[in-house]
Amino acid sequence: MDLPVADPGTERGEGSLLQCPYCDSEAMHKLAQILLPGLAAVCVDGTTGDLFRNPSAVAVDLRKEMVDYITQRSETFISDALIESEANQDPENEMPEDPFEIVSIFMDDFSSTKRNIIGHVSGWLLSDSREDKIDDFVQEMEMTRFWPVERREAIAEVLLKNVDLKTKFHCPEKYENEERLAHHKEQCTFRPVICPNDGCRATVSVRCMQDHDAACPFKVLQCEQNCEKRLLRRDMDRHCVTVCPMRPMKCPFGCDSSFPERNLEEHCSDFLQPHLLKVLKVIHKKGLSADELKDRALLLEKADDNGKLVKARDTRSLTTVVKDLEAKMKHE
């Protein structure tokens, strides 16, 4: 069942038409994610080599400039793209259609205008040191909540609607009045809903919910190895590798058998004789023949009143039990 989320309201479209305000929530979030490293790159490139300024000192001003720049570019993008396509018939030079690529181009263009002399050196732009500084500044801004994701998403929503030429990521529907728009919004596939999986706070467009659910880390699933446990998808790998009773394991005694961990006891019981022979060969080395080793194994089983042999789960513990039994048999 769809859970209610905040209604973003409506937008005026062409003339007196009201446009549906919804867009793809995940695409909006993805676009918001590239804004922070974009700003970090501008701040780092603009202050590298400057003894009197650092990225933090220019972040506020450059953030406003960058947002204004990319917003203005996005507002004229569709008309610019149409003019470009008419003037240039070469298909190799067509304008990109991917919103993320388009906004990245805007940010790169803005960044190039803010680089100082060092930032214009190609070696610096490709250096690992630059990437490290950008990553460090991104982390600093995230820790201080300098530009929270919800504020970036508000900007990303505007950018997405402005550059989404083929309306893949936002709803293009327009209506004459509020009543018809409200009816549409109740059914719009772009309308946002909150993931119903307990613990997940993601807001996703209805059209993307199936894909989100298929990857949501908070989805409760049956163990992939078919044990009785049900657990979160994010815990599945750790469970399957560390504690799942159905995780595959090889025989600890070195035979070629492979089986679920829960069947170790059964395996040790069924293959006690082969395991005993392996241990006896090591203990007595060349002192006993193959037939003598088999006879010794049978004697050990008969002398094992407490069933310690079958309870041994690895070579070391079985060797200890065998030595204790042989010492006991020697004194009888």
Side-chain angles (χ1 to χ4, degrees):
M1 186 177 84
D2 294 343
L3 300 178
V5 295
D7 190 329
T10 58
E11 297 177 2
R12 284 285 169 184
E14 299 173 358
S16 60
L17 295 180
L18 296 171
Q19 181 168 354
C20 177
Y22 294 140
C23 67
D24 187 317
S25 300
E26 290 198 341
M28 181 177 66
H29 181 74
K30 178 181 176 182
L31 190 56
Q33 293 299 95
I34 70 174
L35 294 178
L36 200 61
L39 175 61
V42 173
C43 295
V44 168
D45 288 346
T47 58
T48 296
D50 191 330
L51 299 178
F52 303 101
R53 297 190 307 167
N54 57 42
S56 299
V58 299
V60 173
D61 291 338
L62 287 181
R63 177 180 61 185
K64 183 180 185 307
E65 285 189 54
M66 186 182 83
V67 170
D68 289 345
Y69 178 88
I70 61 179
T71 301
Q72 290 171 7
R73 286 284 300 274
S74 74
E75 289 170 349
T76 61
F77 172 74
I78 292 181
S79 59
D80 291 345
L82 291 175
I83 295 172
E84 182 73 18
S85 64
E86 291 178 0
N88 189 354
Q89 299 300 319
D90 186 354
E92 294 185 359
N93 292 323
E94 289 183 356
M95 294 292 287
E97 296 179 355
D98 179 31
F100 312 104
E101 181 181 353
I102 294 166
V103 174
S104 293
I105 291 173
F106 295 164
M107 290 194 296
D108 286 344
D109 290 346
F110 176 75
S111 179
S112 66
T113 68
K114 296 299 177 180
R115 292 177 186 137
N116 59 23
I117 187 64
I118 295 179
H120 282 288
V121 178
S122 59
W124 163 251
L125 296 179
L126 298 175
S127 69
D128 291 338
S129 175
R130 174 180 182 266
E131 293 301 319
D132 290 341
K133 287 186 176 182
I134 291 173
D135 290 342
D136 290 343
F137 191 46
V138 168
Q139 293 181 24
E140 179 183 330
M141 288 191 289
E142 287 177 338
M143 290 178 61
T144 59
R145 287 185 57 80
F146 171 76
W147 199 5
V149 67
E150 57 270 17
R151 290 175 58 187
R152 282 181 276 135
E153 286 179 346
I155 296 167
E157 181 178 358
V158 174
L159 297 173
L160 188 63
K161 291 177 180 178
N162 285 346
V163 303
D164 185 18
L165 272 171
K166 296 191 174 181
T167 63
K168 291 182 179 180
F169 302 101
H170 78 284
C171 181
E173 297 297 321
K174 299 181 179 70
Y175 295 91
E176 297 85 358
N177 55 60
E178 292 281 0
E179 184 178 353
R180 293 192 62 187
L181 176 61
H183 177 70
H184 161 76
K185 286 167 67 176
E186 291 176 356
Q187 307 170 56
C188 181
T189 59
F190 284 97
R191 74 186 188 276
V193 291
I194 299 173
C195 175
N197 296 323
D198 189 25
C200 182
R201 296 182 294 177
T203 299
V204 186
S205 296
V206 171
R207 58 176 22 216
C208 301
M209 181 53 74
Q210 185 173 351
D211 290 339
H212 170 81
D213 190 67
C216 179
F218 293 92
K219 177 80 171 179
V220 177
L221 302 169
Q222 184 68 39
C223 170
E224 292 177 351
Q225 295 176 152
N226 295 317
C227 81
E228 298 176 355
K229 185 78 172 176
R230 290 179 61 81
L231 60 155
L232 299 179
R233 177 181 277 117
R234 67 177 185 176
D235 297 330
M236 185 67 71
D237 289 345
R238 180 163 52 89
H239 164 80
C240 289
V241 171
T242 60
V243 298
C244 178
M246 293 298 290
R247 68 186 187 277
M249 68 174 297
K250 290 188 175 297
C251 172
F253 295 95
C255 63
D256 295 331
S257 302
S258 182
F259 45 84
E261 190 271 343
R262 71 192 303 174
N263 294 343
L264 175 59
E265 182 177 341
E266 178 184 351
H267 174 78
C268 290
S269 177
D270 292 345
F271 290 83
L272 178 58
Q273 274 284 320
H275 296 166
L276 271 175
L277 291 175
K278 283 180 175 291
V279 168
L280 287 170
K281 284 180 182 179
V282 174
I283 293 176
H284 296 286
K285 297 180 180 176
K286 298 179 181 180
L288 297 175
S289 65
D291 289 338
E292 289 174 327
L293 288 173
K294 290 180 181 179
D295 291 340
R296 178 60 63 92
L298 290 173
L299 288 173
L300 287 169
E301 286 191 74
K302 291 180 180 179
D304 184 23
D305 298 331
N306 298 320
K308 292 183 178 180
L309 289 173
V310 78
K311 292 178 183 178
R313 295 291 178 263
D314 53 46
T315 301
R316 177 178 294 181
S317 59
L318 185 58
T319 299
T320 300
V321 174
V322 167
K323 288 182 177 180
D324 290 343
L325 286 174
E326 286 191 328
K328 177 182 175 183
M329 290 165 57
K330 189 177 295 186
H331 289 89
E332 289 182 351

